Amino acid sequence: MPRPINATISLDALRHNLSVVRRHAPRASVFAVIKANAYGHGVMRAARALVSAEGYALLELDAAVRLREAGYRQRIALLEGAFEPRDLVVAAEHGLAIAIHSQEQIRMLGSAPSDARFDVLLKINTGMNRLGIMPAEFGSVLGRLHGHPRVAQLTLMAHFATADDAHGVAWQMECLERLAAGSGLQRCLANSAAILRYPEAHADWVRPGVMLYGCSPFADVPAETLGLEPVMTLASELITVRELRPGDRIGYGGTFEATRPMRIGVVACGYADGYPRHAPTGTPIVVGGCRTRTLGRVSMDMLCADLSGIPAAQVGTPVMLWGQGLSADEVAAAAGTVSYELLCALAPRVPVIEV
């Protein structure tokens, strides 16, 4: 009998969340961000559900090639570009768009096949200080790429550091406008937070990521308030029920001690399944349709739930770790992390059910 844990992925929810993107950015084309195996949801599965997007954006060259070989003709962008010259050979063969964010990558273009012509997204560092051409270099770099024999199409790209908080995007937009004024080039700027909050940043292309998967990019705004639907539901069952006496402790380190008689349930889910090991006592969980809390440390294959007030709970009672009615955002916040990490951490051993 298989272990009672699975992740359900809703393709309808993916399509719905793309419609939310369209509603907020009706004039922009969409790069659906499906990096990191579509945030744990399955890159090919997500691509199929998001087929109406004008493009896909990811990091992994092999996944981009699989998309092309599966017949997807949309613009497919490698967000970190080529890491070595042979990547350019593959990108040219499959018509992939490549980000260029450094002088080294510009020099690498010279090693590409002589007949290669690339769709280039020139990434500008407007203040995040990760990847991107520095503002002082922009004019000379733009001149080199405009006349480069390997460049067929050029789009400007930047990434917002604070679109999800009070600092906003104006400071980075000002930098970009100063540099790109009069260039006439298309721009690809807005992440999920900017799509939802800053219409002035939508430009020509938007890059929705976490919102496509039904999570909020804002710490203080729930996904449901934004009209987003959870795509992944992680579910399991109780595999045993125990009666504790006052003074009994639970799990490794005995970090939770019962102060009264109580019932607890052991859930077939642990950090080897992708549940956060650092989730503390009190992290929300749903048992038999009733919201309750976790108790003690998360183990590799199990965690414990408080069954106080859930007298009907028994072996086999269903458990939801996150999904409809208990967002991954809420679980992540309780664990001191972000929903991105939870979704991406879904383990290969967890069966996936597509609905």
Side-chain angles (χ1 to χ4, degrees), residues 214-344:
C215 292
S216 174
F218 308 115
D220 58 345
V221 183
E224 55 266 30
T225 301
L226 300 168
L228 301 171
E229 297 180 357
V231 175
M232 180 190 294
T233 297
L234 183 62
S236 187
E237 296 178 2
L238 297 182
I239 57 174
T240 198
V241 173
R242 296 202 175 280
E243 303 281 346
L244 298 189
R245 300 165 299 178
D248 285 346
R249 294 177 179 269
I250 294 174
Y252 288 115
T255 59
F256 177 83
E257 180 179 347
T259 59
R260 55 179 172 76
M262 63 185 301
R263 294 173 77 233
I264 68 164
V266 179
V267 183
C269 179
Y271 61 79
D273 300 299
Y275 197 86
R277 183 182 181 275
H278 48 281
T281 289
T283 299
I285 190 171
V286 176
V287 178
C290 301
R291 181 178 285 239
T292 183
R293 59 176 180 153
T294 64
L295 300 172
R297 286 185 185 165
V298 176
S299 301
M300 181 180 288
D301 310 305
M302 291 169 279
L303 56 84
C304 294
D306 187 351
L307 301 184
S308 302
I310 316 177
Q314 59 186 328
V315 171
T317 294
V319 176
M320 183 174 67
L321 291 310
W322 61 73
Q324 188 71 48
L326 176 59
S327 71
D329 295 320
E330 188 177 354
V331 176
T337 185
V338 291
S339 54
Y340 303 72
E341 183 178 1
L342 269 58
L343 301 178
C344 291

Side-chain angles (χ1 to χ4, degrees), residues 33-43 57-60 343-344:
V33 179
I34 55 173
K35 63 181 179 177
N37 196 31
Y39 292 42
H41 293 71
V43 65
L58 64 171
L59 305 183
E60 304 85 359
L343 301 178
C344 291

Side-chain angles (χ1 to χ4, degrees), residues 26-335:
R27 291 181 294 277
S29 297
V30 175
F31 270 126
V33 179
I34 55 173
K35 63 181 179 177
N37 196 31
Y39 292 42
H41 293 71
V43 65
M44 301 307 292
R45 179 180 300 116
R48 189 167 71 254
L50 301 170
V51 69
S52 66
E54 289 77 16
Y56 300 111
L58 64 171
L59 305 183
E60 304 85 359
L61 181 60
D62 60 338
V65 169
R66 290 204 310 275
L67 288 171
R68 279 286 185 253
E69 291 179 342
Y72 291 97
R73 304 267 58 89
Q74 291 97 324
R75 207 175 179 194
I76 299 176
L78 299 173
L79 290 173
E80 292 182 0
F83 297 99
E84 56 185 1
R86 64 181 176 180
D87 292 348
L88 292 175
V89 175
V90 177
E93 180 182 352
H94 292 88
L96 306 177
I98 57 169
I100 286 184
H101 59 76
S102 68
Q103 297 283 357
E104 289 77 11
Q105 288 183 322
I106 298 173
R107 287 192 286 271
M108 201 187 298
L109 277 178
S111 66
S114 59
D115 59 347
R117 300 292 182 272
F118 292 101
D119 177 357
V120 170
L121 296 106
L122 176 60
K123 189 162 193 178
I124 309 165
N125 177 22
T126 57
M128 192 161 187
N129 290 313
R130 295 192 312 186
L131 302 180
I133 299 295
M134 295 302 292
E137 304 174 293
F138 177 72
S140 62
V141 166
L142 189 61
R144 288 176 64 186
L145 293 178
H146 264 315
H148 202 290
R150 303 288 184 275
V151 176
Q153 181 178 348
L154 192 57
T155 302
L156 302 182
M157 181 168 67
H159 193 55
F160 295 125
T162 54
D164 58 342
D165 64 32
H167 290 90
V169 302
W171 60 285
Q172 287 183 269
M173 288 291 291
E174 289 168 6
C175 176
L176 183 73
E177 293 296 339
R178 184 175 67 253
L179 294 173
S183 71
L185 296 175
Q186 288 201 340
R187 302 175 190 186
C188 177
L189 309 175
N191 56 6
S192 292
I195 290 167
L196 292 166
R197 190 167 281 176
Y198 299 106
E200 68 272 22
H202 291 169
D204 304 288
W205 288 80
V206 294
R207 298 191 308 276
V210 76
M211 70 179 295
L212 289 175
Y213 307 101
C215 292
S216 174
F218 308 115
D220 58 345
V221 183
E224 55 266 30
T225 301
L226 300 168
L228 301 171
E229 297 180 357
V231 175
M232 180 190 294
T233 297
L234 183 62
S236 187
E237 296 178 2
L238 297 182
I239 57 174
T240 198
V241 173
R242 296 202 175 280
E243 303 281 346
L244 298 189
R245 300 165 299 178
D248 285 346
R249 294 177 179 269
I250 294 174
Y252 288 115
T255 59
F256 177 83
E257 180 179 347
T259 59
R260 55 179 172 76
M262 63 185 301
R263 294 173 77 233
I264 68 164
V266 179
V267 183
C269 179
Y271 61 79
D273 300 299
Y275 197 86
R277 183 182 181 275
H278 48 281
T281 289
T283 299
I285 190 171
V286 176
V287 178
C290 301
R291 181 178 285 239
T292 183
R293 59 176 180 153
T294 64
L295 300 172
R297 286 185 185 165
V298 176
S299 301
M300 181 180 288
D301 310 305
M302 291 169 279
L303 56 84
C304 294
D306 187 351
L307 301 184
S308 302
I310 316 177
Q314 59 186 328
V315 171
T317 294
V319 176
M320 183 174 67
L321 291 310
W322 61 73
Q324 188 71 48
L326 176 59
S327 71
D329 295 320
E330 188 177 354
V331 176

